[in-house]
Amino acid sequence: SGLIYSGIYNSNSGINNLNQFIQAEKITKDINPTYGSIQKLFSRNTDLISLCEDRVVRIQANKDAIFNADGNPQIIASNNVLGQTMPFSGDYGISKNPESFTSDNYRAYFTDKSRSAVLRLSKDGLTPISEYGMSDWFKDNLRNYPKLVGSFDNVKEDYNLTLREANTTTGYTPTTLTYNENVKGWTSFKSFIPEQALSMNNEYYSFNGGYIYKH
């Protein structure tokens, strides 16, 4: 539940201090251990998003916040590499499924299996998109799959979530379903079960069994 960072790297000037950890400087950042372990780090604009098991935290980069008497923060420049930590509202994390995380521009999508939720992190904070007509389905099914793979299809603007490695003898088979931001809902179940998938150069690719597929 903590971070440690080294010196800078600059290829233009030939500076490489990635192996320097000077203890005289403030090179650590501790996050509240009650949030659980850090499962994923995501750089968004000038902030660092830390996705813990039970909470999502925004860490200010190269700046700090001074709070007024009314509680509103005022951002100031700082010599700290990592500034203050500010949890997003909502008791959600990423559990232990960082593979469910994917991003598109300023939006990010991931799951919280411990709370049977699928979440979107956007400018307005955290939103449980699993409640858009699918809350009962996710409560019944999400906990039965050990691996949850998320990917974003830039062509169709779909967040594809694949529930993998279920025990077929119990009736739970791998499945892929799609959330679309334009309709604010879950639009379809898909027939492909990828190990991983990604968008590149306006194409959507999935990987399975050592093969690559262009959709």
Side-chain angles (χ1 to χ4, degrees), residues 192 194 196-198 204-208 211-215:
F192 63 97
Q196 290 293 338
L198 56 86
Y204 181 67
Y205 301 92
S206 64
F207 306 86
N208 196 19
Y211 293 93
I212 180 172
Y213 299 88
K214 185 172 76 170
H215 291 249

Side-chain angles (χ1 to χ4, degrees), residues 39-188:
Q39 295 288 314
K40 173 75 177 179
L41 294 175
F42 174 60
S43 177
R44 189 180 69 170
N45 294 330
T46 58
D47 294 329
L48 184 66
I49 307 299
S50 174
L51 295 102
C52 306
E53 291 182 55
D54 301 311
R55 206 66 188 268
V56 181
V57 181
R58 177 168 61 94
I59 305 174
Q60 295 179 336
N62 298 316
K63 56 186 182 291
D64 274 316
I66 295 179
F67 292 89
N68 299 327
D70 58 2
N72 293 323
Q74 298 293 324
I75 305 298
I76 63 170
S78 172
N79 60 354
N80 292 333
V81 175
L82 297 177
Q84 287 160 302
T85 59
M86 298 181 178
F88 288 96
S89 59
D91 293 328
Y92 295 104
I94 198 172
S95 295
K96 290 188 176 181
N97 298 103
E99 72 277 2
S100 67
F101 181 91
T102 189
S103 62
D104 173 59
N105 294 325
Y106 58 88
R107 296 191 185 100
Y109 302 89
F110 57 95
T111 64
D112 186 353
K113 185 165 66 173
S114 298
R115 295 159 186 83
S116 300
V118 184
L119 302 155
R120 178 191 65 213
L121 176 61
S122 187
K123 292 181 178 179
D124 56 353
L126 282 173
T127 303
I129 58 176
S130 53
E131 296 182 359
Y132 294 167
M134 291 286 286
S135 58
D136 288 340
W137 191 92
F138 282 113
K139 288 178 181 177
D140 294 337
N141 292 275
L142 207 60
R143 64 178 181 268
N144 299 306
Y145 294 83
K147 190 170 184 180
L148 309 172
V149 180
S151 61
F152 194 86
D153 185 348
N154 284 337
V155 180
K156 298 182 179 179
E157 298 184 354
D158 289 338
Y159 169 58
N160 293 322
L161 177 62
T162 301
L163 288 66
R164 289 183 56 89
E165 299 179 7
N167 188 351
T168 56
T169 60
T170 60
Y172 296 103
T173 58
T175 184
T176 299
L177 63 162
T178 296
Y179 173 84
N180 188 278
E181 199 66 49
N182 295 325
V183 299
K184 293 288 190 291
W186 298 88
T187 58
S188 176

Side-chain angles (χ1 to χ4, degrees), residues 1-62:
S1 58
L3 301 170
I4 183 170
Y5 42 89
S6 68
I8 65 171
Y9 172 79
N10 190 325
S11 60
N12 294 327
S13 58
I15 298 176
N16 184 0
N17 295 332
L18 295 180
N19 63 339
Q20 294 188 15
F21 296 87
I22 303 174
Q23 293 183 346
E25 299 178 0
K26 183 174 172 32
I27 59 173
T28 60
K29 186 67 181 179
D30 293 323
I31 299 177
N32 193 332
T34 61
Y35 298 161
S37 63
I38 298 173
Q39 295 288 314
K40 173 75 177 179
L41 294 175
F42 174 60
S43 177
R44 189 180 69 170
N45 294 330
T46 58
D47 294 329
L48 184 66
I49 307 299
S50 174
L51 295 102
C52 306
E53 291 182 55
D54 301 311
R55 206 66 188 268
V56 181
V57 181
R58 177 168 61 94
I59 305 174
Q60 295 179 336
N62 298 316

